[in-house]
C-alpha cells in the first residue's frame, strides 16, 4: 500500500502543473522585476554622452554623401562602422547580465517559480530599452545626416534591419553569459566572436569569394 501510495503521489505530481503560474504571468512579473533592478544602470549620463559623441563624429566624417557610385566605398565603410561601434557595446553589456544572477536563478528554478524561456525573454525585453533605444536613436539621425536614400520605405527598412541586428547582438551576449560561467572569460571571448561575425557579414569578403567551409 505504501508503494502504491508513493506511486500515486508521484503520478499526481507529474500530472499537475509544472509551474505555479502561467508562462505569461511569469514573463510579465520577471520583466517588471528586471526593469526595476536595472533602473539607472545603462541609460546613464555617460551612455548619453557617448552616443552624442558617436553621432557628432559620424555626421562629421560622412556628412551628406553624394548619391553616386563614386561613394559606394564610403557608404559601406559607414555601415560597417555603425555595426562595430554599436554591436560590441551591446554584446559586452549583455554578457554581464546573467553572471550576477546565476545563483538566484538556480534557487528560484528549484522552487518551480518560472521556466528558463520566460526568464530569458524577460531579460531580453527589459534589456532592450537599455541596449537598443540609444543605438536606434543614433542611427535614426545618422541616416539623414549621411544622406542615405530619402524615402520613407527605405528609412523604415533600414531601422528595422538595425533593430534586429542589435537584438541579435543582445541575445548573443546573453547566450555567452549563460554558456560561460566565468565572467572574465566571457568578456574576453565576446569581442572577437562579435568581430568575426561582422567580418563575415559581406563587408570585407564577398560571400561568393568565401571558402566553402565557412560560406554557410
Amino acid at each position: 500500500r505504501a508503494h502504491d501510495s508513493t506511486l500515486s503521489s508521484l503520478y499526481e505530481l507529474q500530472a499537475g502543473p509544472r509551474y505555479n503560474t502561467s508562462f505569461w504571468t511569469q514573463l510579465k512579473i520577471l520583466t517588471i522585476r528586471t526593469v526595476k533592478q536595472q533602473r539607472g544602470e545603462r541609460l546613464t549620463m555617460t551612455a548619453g554622452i557617448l552616443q552624442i559623441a558617436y553621432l557628432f563624429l559620424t555626421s562629421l566624417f560622412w556628412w551628406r554623401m553624394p548619391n553616386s557610385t563614386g561613394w559606394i566605398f564610403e557608404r559601406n565603410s559607414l555601415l560597417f562602422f555603425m555595426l562595430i561601434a554599436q554591436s560590441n557595446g551591446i554584446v559586452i553589456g549583455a554578457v554581464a547580465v546573467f553572471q550576477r544572477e546565476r545563483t538566484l536563478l538556480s534557487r528560484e528554478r528549484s522552487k518551480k517559480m518560472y521556466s528558463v524561456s520566460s526568464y530569458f525573454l524577460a531579460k531580453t525585453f527589459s534589456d532592450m530599452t537599455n541596449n537598443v533605444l540609444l543605438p536606434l536613436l543614433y542611427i535614426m539621425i545618422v541616416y539623414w545626416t549621411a544622406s542615405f536614400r530619402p524615402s520613407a520605405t527605405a528609412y523604415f527598412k533600414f531601422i528595422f534591419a538595425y533593430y534586429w541586428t542589435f537584438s541579435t547582438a543582445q541575445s548573443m551576449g546573453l547566450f555567452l553569459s549563460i554558456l560561460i560561467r566565468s565572467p572574465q572569460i566571457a568578456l574576453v571571448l565576446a569581442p572577437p566572436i562579435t568581430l568575426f561575425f561582422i567580418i563575415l557579414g559581406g563587408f570585407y569578403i564577398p560571400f561568393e569569394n568565401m571558402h566553402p567551409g565557412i560560406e554557410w
Side-chain angles (χ1 to χ4, degrees):
R1 283 182 182 176
H3 179 69
D4 292 341
S5 177
T6 302
L7 288 177
S8 178
S9 298
L10 288 173
Y11 177 77
E12 290 176 1
L13 183 62
Q14 292 174 354
R18 189 175 179 184
Y19 300 104
N20 297 326
T21 56
S22 67
F23 172 81
W24 297 110
T25 303
Q26 297 170 26
L27 183 61
K28 177 184 176 181
I29 294 174
L30 286 171
T31 303
I32 294 173
R33 185 179 76 174
T34 306
V35 168
K36 290 181 178 179
Q37 287 175 339
Q38 296 181 349
R39 186 177 297 167
E41 286 187 9
R42 303 235 175 96
L43 286 176
T44 60
M45 180 75 71
T46 303
I49 292 174
L50 181 62
Q51 289 299 335
I52 291 173
Y54 273 135
L55 177 61
F56 174 76
L57 292 174
T58 306
S59 301
L60 184 64
F61 295 155
W62 287 279
W63 176 258
R64 309 296 294 173
M65 290 183 291
N67 188 19
S68 65
T69 56
W71 285 75
I72 290 177
F73 173 78
E74 285 78 3
R75 290 175 183 273
N76 277 340
S77 299
L78 173 56
L79 292 173
F80 185 76
F81 171 76
M82 292 168 73
L83 283 172
I84 273 202
Q86 302 296 331
S87 298
N88 265 330
I90 292 174
V91 172
I92 292 173
V95 162
V97 168
F98 182 70
Q99 298 295 342
R100 60 176 178 262
E101 294 189 11
R102 189 183 295 272
T103 303
L104 177 64
L105 174 65
S106 299
R107 184 170 64 248
E108 292 180 343
R109 283 268 300 143
S110 66
K111 298 178 181 179
K112 296 186 177 182
M113 296 177 66
Y114 49 79
S115 63
V116 173
S117 58
S118 59
Y119 175 85
F120 183 83
L121 288 175
K123 281 293 179 187
T124 301
F125 293 151
S126 59
D127 268 5
M128 203 168 286
T129 56
N130 295 325
N131 285 333
V132 178
L133 179 60
L134 286 177
L136 271 181
L137 290 174
Y138 161 77
I139 65 169
M140 288 168 69
I141 298 173
V142 169
Y143 186 93
W144 300 109
T145 60
S147 191
F148 282 118
R149 186 177 299 173
S151 74
T153 302
Y155 178 67
F156 286 111
K157 282 184 178 180
F158 182 86
I159 299 299
F160 186 72
Y162 263 88
Y163 167 78
W164 282 113
T165 301
F166 297 149
S167 297
T168 303
Q170 177 198 17
S171 295
M172 191 175 74
L174 285 173
F175 175 73
L176 291 174
S177 178
I178 293 169
L179 183 67
I180 304 172
R181 287 185 172 272
S182 171
Q184 291 80 11
I185 296 177
L187 287 172
V188 168
L189 291 178
I193 291 174
T194 307
L195 185 60
F196 281 125
F197 275 120
I198 293 176
I199 289 175
L200 293 175
F203 290 97
Y204 281 131
I205 309 173
F207 291 120
E208 59 270 15
N209 295 338
M210 289 183 185
H211 190 276
I214 197 66
E215 191 178 25
W216 60 273

